[in-house]
Amino acid sequence: AAVVDPYAAAPPPPSVSATPAVAPTVNVAECLKKLRAADNGLLYEDPYIQIGVKSQWQGNQGRVMFYLGNKHDADLNQLELTLSSTPGLNARLAPAPPSLGSKKQVQVLLELAAASGYAGSPVVTLRYDVAGIGSVHQNLTTPYGAHKFLTPWAAPDAGAFFAKWHETTAAAQSVDVVTVSAEISSGGLPAIERALTSVNAHVLPGLDPNVNNVVAASTVTYSNGAECFALARVESDANNRAVFRVTVAASDRGTMEGVQAALYSQILAP
């Protein structure tokens, strides 16, 4: 009989194959940036599934339709979408079907209601199983910050704007000197104006006494009854066209932080 060495290392446990990582086939951060400034577009895609979105906004209400498409030649099973909670934002996400057939698409509705100002945006967690691969799990930040609910405020004149400016800056404001992306820098003030408009900050030409600055103003009435104003002022640097002083103010801090995050996503380099 063979001699057993009591000091020999124990045999390794049976091998367990780890689930291979399924990587996105798109730049998810770039998709998020685009959707912060648009109602429709692509949120996520990998070799097996694609998620597009279309959204509509009215007052403090929003409707988002997720379009989940199975790119694979087999069913995707255990399909699930869940949504994180965001204080100040009421959300209801319809359930996804547990199985999505090959080359099929399904729609999943997300209903949103802004109860009050809020910072950040909800995160959608995607889960599904692929035969031969295993379980796939992705956390996807959505673009649905407080800025999505803003509508233009047409200040009648500079006096009215700056009266509201003093009121909102006393409530909540952020002031930063920032270096913008090369794309924004080369576009100058018109590029800043386009970025403001894209995140629903209504540009008010000619109201700032300095022609090298731009101001914007929007408003929303939340479902708690509070009317909130969100204002922005972007001041040029005469010595460096890539540098701007950005002030964002709002009637509450959550809205201010939400609008600031949306604007910075468009003007700062990743």
Side-chain angles (χ1 to χ4, degrees), residues 9-83:
S15 62
V16 178
S17 59
T19 301
V22 172
T25 55
V26 294
N27 185 327
V28 177
E30 185 65 22
C31 290
L32 177 60
K33 174 184 175 179
K34 290 179 179 178
L35 283 171
R36 282 192 169 122
D39 291 336
N40 309 324
L42 181 66
L43 179 66
Y44 175 79
E45 187 171 0
D46 64 30
Y48 306 103
I49 198 168
Q50 181 186 76
I51 303 178
V53 297
K54 292 185 177 180
S55 60
Q56 297 175 319
W57 308 92
Q58 183 173 7
N60 55 35
Q61 307 288 316
R63 287 172 57 88
V64 178
M65 191 67 76
F66 293 101
Y67 294 83
L68 282 66
N70 180 357
K71 302 165 53 181
H72 194 35
D73 55 8
D75 291 359
L76 301 180
N77 296 310
Q78 305 299 318
L79 178 64
E80 184 181 22
L81 283 183
T82 56
L83 190 74

Side-chain angles (χ1 to χ4, degrees), residues 61-145:
Q61 307 288 316
R63 287 172 57 88
V64 178
M65 191 67 76
F66 293 101
Y67 294 83
L68 282 66
N70 180 357
K71 302 165 53 181
H72 194 35
D73 55 8
D75 291 359
L76 301 180
N77 296 310
Q78 305 299 318
L79 178 64
E80 184 181 22
L81 283 183
T82 56
L83 190 74
S84 68
S85 62
T86 302
L89 180 65
N90 297 327
R92 181 170 58 189
L93 179 64
S99 181
L100 183 57
S102 172
K103 312 302 182 183
K104 300 293 185 182
Q105 185 186 78
V106 67
Q107 300 177 18
V108 178
L109 176 64
L110 170 62
E111 297 174 283
L112 300 171
S116 62
Y118 64 96
S121 55
V123 174
V124 165
T125 298
L126 166 70
R127 296 183 181 88
Y128 65 89
D129 286 352
V130 185
I133 298 294
S135 181
V136 179
H137 175 281
Q138 293 283 355
N139 291 324
L140 305 171
T141 301
T142 70
Y144 306 123

Side-chain angles (χ1 to χ4, degrees), residues 189 193 206 208-214 236:
L189 206 59
E193 292 177 341
D208 196 287
N210 187 331
V211 296
N212 295 313
N213 300 340
V214 61
S236 302

Side-chain angles (χ1 to χ4, degrees), residues 217-237:
S218 297
T219 184
V220 58
T221 300
Y222 291 119
S223 55
N224 66 5
E227 182 179 20
C228 178
F229 288 86
L231 280 63
R233 187 185 193 192
V234 182
E235 302 167 79
S236 302
D237 186 322

